[in-house]
Amino acid sequence: GAGVSQSPRYKVTKRGQDVALRCDPISGHVSLYWYRQALGQGPEFLTYFNYEAQQDKSGLPNDRFSAERPEGSISTLTIQRTEQRDSAMYRCASRMVGTDTQYFGPGTRLTVL
Amino acid sequence: AQRVTQPEKLLSVFKGAPVELKCNYSYSGSPELFWYVQYSRQRLQLLLRHISRESIKGFTADLNKGETSFHLKKPFAQEEDSAMYYCALSGEYGNKLVFGAGTILRVKS
């Protein structure tokens, strides 16, 4: 089937606005991960889910960031009151149970003006 | 703390030359190590993992626990190998990945 999809692919917003980034994992994949990648750096873990349960949110930088996966499939990463330092590539990945390979989506490039 | 270090931001080699992309890690337990690759305008994808001990596209990587390294090697570089390569560590099976900063490999003709 189709790979991991993310929308929007590009998002430009003004400082102070809220944004919602969406991830649609590969069908049947239990685990879903969010990463953030600043320019010139590797992806950095934010949070992950098994089914609808958020297992680890230790990477979320502050309480402006939140994520949900209410039905165990599509996930939304929300950033409230965006700041310029939130500008980055946001990557989503999913994984099938019993394997260790994470499959990545194309990413969402967020620019906060 | 878990940490992955890729000391080279850019590695430029000629076609047919050997390639070694360096990766060192810091982790107190038994890590799972991976190499991910991103070709131009494509998404990040798994290249190889240490537990499978396989060779993908001519690349191999051996986990050296004494030196805490997982260097990626290929005996003869090809132009299509030009890409960004990330070394990554997982401390627990299926858990979050900790990535290095990445190395750009440029293979010149």
Side-chain angles (χ1 to χ4, degrees):
Chain A
V4 179
S5 61
Q6 292 185 245
S7 61
R9 294 290 310 277
Y10 303 90
K11 177 69 177 179
V12 180
T13 191
K14 292 183 178 179
R15 187 175 51 187
Q17 297 293 307
D18 298 350
V19 295
L21 311 181
R22 172 184 164 130
C23 173
D24 197 346
I26 294 172
S27 178
H29 279 199
V30 167
S31 300
L32 185 149
Y33 303 79
W34 283 100
Y35 296 87
R36 180 172 68 170
Q37 185 171 13
L39 203 60
Q41 299 186 23
E44 183 181 25
F45 171 79
L46 294 176
T47 185
Y48 94 99
F49 296 82
N50 280 341
Y51 299 101
E52 71 281 0
Q54 193 170 19
Q55 299 291 328
D56 184 348
K57 54 181 182 179
S58 63
L60 296 177
N62 52 60
D63 60 8
R64 295 187 297 107
F65 287 72
S66 63
E68 63 175 9
R69 193 186 185 197
E71 298 179 359
S73 179
I74 292 169
S75 177
T76 302
L77 177 70
T78 302
I79 309 173
Q80 296 179 309
R81 305 181 303 281
T82 53
E83 301 178 3
Q84 286 186 327
R85 59 177 172 160
D86 299 333
S87 296
M89 175 73 84
Y90 288 82
R91 299 190 184 275
C92 173
S94 69
R95 179 181 64 87
M96 187 188 309
V97 67
T99 70
D100 58 9
T101 301
Q102 293 186 23
Y103 294 86
F104 282 82
T108 295
R109 170 73 67 187
L110 175 66
T111 302
V112 183
L113 302 176
Chain B
Q2 301 175 25
R3 186 189 300 271
V4 176
T5 302
Q6 294 180 252
E8 303 139 327
K9 281 209 172 296
L10 170 67
L11 184 63
S12 187
V13 302
F14 283 103
K15 177 181 169 182
V19 170
E20 182 179 51
L21 300 172
K22 290 185 169 46
C23 172
N24 289 89
Y25 67 90
S26 173
Y27 182 63
S28 57
S30 293
E32 302 283 341
L33 273 297
F34 306 84
W35 278 98
Y36 276 79
V37 61
Q38 187 171 22
Y39 300 103
S40 179
R41 296 189 181 85
Q42 294 187 28
R43 59 188 66 190
L44 203 56
Q45 58 186 284
L46 179 68
L47 179 63
L48 55 80
R49 58 173 79 80
H50 91 271
I51 58 172
S52 58
R53 302 182 68 80
E54 58 197 342
S55 173
I56 303 293
K57 299 183 178 182
F59 284 97
T60 58
D62 291 318
L63 178 61
N64 185 324
K65 291 188 178 181
E67 296 183 357
T68 59
S69 68
F70 189 56
H71 303 327
L72 183 68
K73 300 178 183 179
K74 184 169 183 176
F76 308 105
Q78 299 174 301
E79 289 181 73
E80 54 264 35
D81 296 329
S82 295
M84 174 69 91
Y85 290 80
Y86 294 97
C87 182
L89 173 157
S90 174
E92 299 174 28
Y93 183 81
N95 210 328
K96 62 186 179 186
L97 292 170
V98 176
F99 286 88
T103 298
I104 299 171
L105 175 63
R106 189 171 296 154
V107 182
K108 302 175 288 187
S109 58

